[in-house]
Amino acid sequence: MLERSMPRVLPVDPESPSPAALEEAASVLARGGLVAFPTETVYGLGARGLHADEVAKIYRAKGRPSTHPLILHVTGSAMARGLARGWPEAAAKLAEAFWPGPLTLVVPRGGSVPDAVTGGGDTVGLRCPSHPVALALLDAVGEPLAAPSANAHTHVSPTSAAHVVRSLGDACDLVLDGGTCAHGIESTVVDVSGAEPRVLRPGALDLEALRRVLPAVQVASAALADDAVVRAAPGMAARHYAPRTRVILADDLEAELAVACASGLRVATLVWSEDGKRVVRGLADRVAVVAELPFDPKAYARALFAELHRVDAAGVGLVVVEQVPDTPGFWAVRDRLARAARPA
Ligand code: TXA
Ligand code: MG
């Protein structure tokens, strides 16, 4: 693995970050630097979003193709409306219900938003995060921050400052360390720019919650990683949210683990069910890393990326992940696992 130099890491109180820390972070941003900061979903890699040259640094730091649009983080609906061309009724309803929180709204793009943010498209993704550090940083900067997840392109999103440092090293100038992220999985992305609201990415906000406010919301088939249509379309099948370690997603854990253990590689496994734990106990001396994840979908999501980072750090040859139930609570986890398990 690539050895990276350390960026400056500044510990902050996650509930009430000190003015000195916020001032330092805001001044790094004002000088055109990159600051990683905690949100309630995952850590973001921030630059001032209305400055194209500063936003370009995010793409370089992540190695991300410049056609992939970034999210602008805002202090609330007022700032958001200033970045949009019109404010669809669906946006108003969803923002009212779920902001601040883990929801990104894709709306028609306003004139002030540079191409560097939207990848040249005519929509822009906006999110008002609820994490006190993210909100306080946005207040201190006084303008929107472009911030993708603070990881190298296609890799697993960071849910702690240590993950950011491992993935990006000193490609970012400063990391605000506010501890671990409450959701541990990215925001739900909903496109409200067209006639019908559509989920583009399942995430920390559940479909049921969205539908309580907007019963008409659809899930774009391309948003579901395990959808056959997606698999059939090569361009859409890009591997994403993947650890460096090869991932086998197992419907039959016992069979997949037996094959993995016979391969001669060092093997890791992620299990959640009682049955899965029993299978693993039977193979205890043959599996190098065992992660037992919680059964509760929210708790599972909170722990998943940290376990994948741990697997990567352990230097195993492959990781066998027990498939999770096909229930609404696991929608985002199933999506990320399916993407992680795609061949490179
Ligand atoms: O929870 C999150 O959303 C985190 C935290 C840091 O806020 N951010 C995040 O950003 O996950 P990123 O860039 O890793 O993922 C943003 C997703 C991508 O799938 C991107 O394609 C989509 O949102 N997106 C952003 N703007 C879009 C747009 N204008 N149209 C369609 N999709 C868009
Ligand atoms: Mg990302």
Side-chain angles (χ1 to χ4, degrees):
M1 190 197 308
L2 227 60
E3 285 304 320
R4 305 221 188 230
S5 334
M6 286 276 289
R8 177 162 156 70
V9 178
L10 193 56
V12 289
D13 181 334
E15 293 304 322
S16 155
S18 73
L22 294 167
E23 211 170 285
E24 179 172 344
S27 79
V28 169
L29 289 163
R31 289 197 301 273
L34 300 182
V35 174
F37 59 94
T39 82
E40 72 279 22
T41 58
V42 300
Y43 273 71
L45 178 64
R48 293 190 304 173
L50 302 182
H51 305 255
D53 49 333
E54 297 170 24
V55 172
K57 292 182 187 171
I58 292 178
Y59 288 93
R60 283 201 293 278
K62 283 181 63 94
R64 172 167 166 143
S66 59
T67 49
H68 286 205
L70 299 176
I71 298 173
L72 289 180
H73 292 68
V74 295
T75 49
S77 289
M79 187 183 272
R81 294 176 81 127
L83 300 166
R85 184 170 34 80
W87 193 242
E89 198 190 325
K93 282 187 177 161
L94 292 176
E96 166 72 23
F98 300 116
W99 278 2
L103 171 69
T104 296
L105 294 172
V106 172
V107 298
R109 162 195 180 177
S112 62
V113 178
D115 279 340
V117 167
T118 66
D122 56 8
T123 58
V124 61
L126 304 173
R127 173 162 114 80
C128 174
S130 66
H131 196 296
V133 173
L135 278 175
L137 181 61
L138 284 163
D139 269 333
V141 174
E143 51 183 297
L145 291 176
S149 52
N151 53 279
H153 180 56
T154 77
H155 288 164
V156 177
S157 294
T159 58
S160 73
H163 297 157
V164 177
V165 173
R166 273 193 64 223
S167 191
L168 293 177
D170 63 2
C172 76
D173 300 294
L174 176 69
V175 182
L176 292 178
D177 181 354
T180 55
C181 301
H183 291 291
I185 200 158
E186 301 85 350
S187 64
T188 301
V189 179
V190 181
D191 182 355
V192 290
S193 69
E196 288 210 322
R198 287 182 313 150
V199 173
L200 301 182
R201 177 178 73 180
L205 183 67
D206 291 335
L207 185 58
E208 286 161 316
L210 280 172
R211 288 208 164 131
R212 272 198 294 276
V213 174
L214 215 61
V217 75
Q218 300 297 310
V219 182
S221 68
L224 293 176
D226 53 1
D227 190 295
V229 178
V230 180
R231 280 201 297 274
M236 303 292 291
R239 194 159 181 264
H240 217 120
Y241 304 101
R244 293 168 175 80
T245 311
R246 194 171 138 226
V247 177
I248 309 283
L249 189 53
D251 287 311
D252 183 341
L253 184 75
E254 191 153 21
E256 295 289 0
L257 266 182
V259 173
C261 289
S263 71
L265 296 169
R266 289 183 75 229
V267 173
T269 190
L270 269 55
V271 296
W272 60 269
S273 72
E274 284 311 316
D275 200 42
K277 291 174 195 169
R278 180 190 53 75
V279 166
V280 167
R281 276 195 292 272
L283 289 165
D285 49 339
R286 302 175 64 194
V287 180
V289 179
V290 176
E292 295 193 353
L293 283 131
F295 173 64
D296 171 66
K298 297 274 177 219
Y300 186 108
R302 195 177 306 128
L304 174 63
F305 289 170
E307 292 299 349
L308 292 176
H309 281 283
R310 190 162 76 90
V311 164
D312 270 348
V316 294
L318 58 88
V319 53
V320 180
V321 180
E322 182 182 20
Q323 179 61 290
V324 296
D326 191 3
T327 54
F330 277 109
W331 76 319
V333 164
R334 280 181 73 93
D335 170 76
R336 303 306 188 270
L337 289 179
R339 288 175 199 274
R342 282 193 186 142

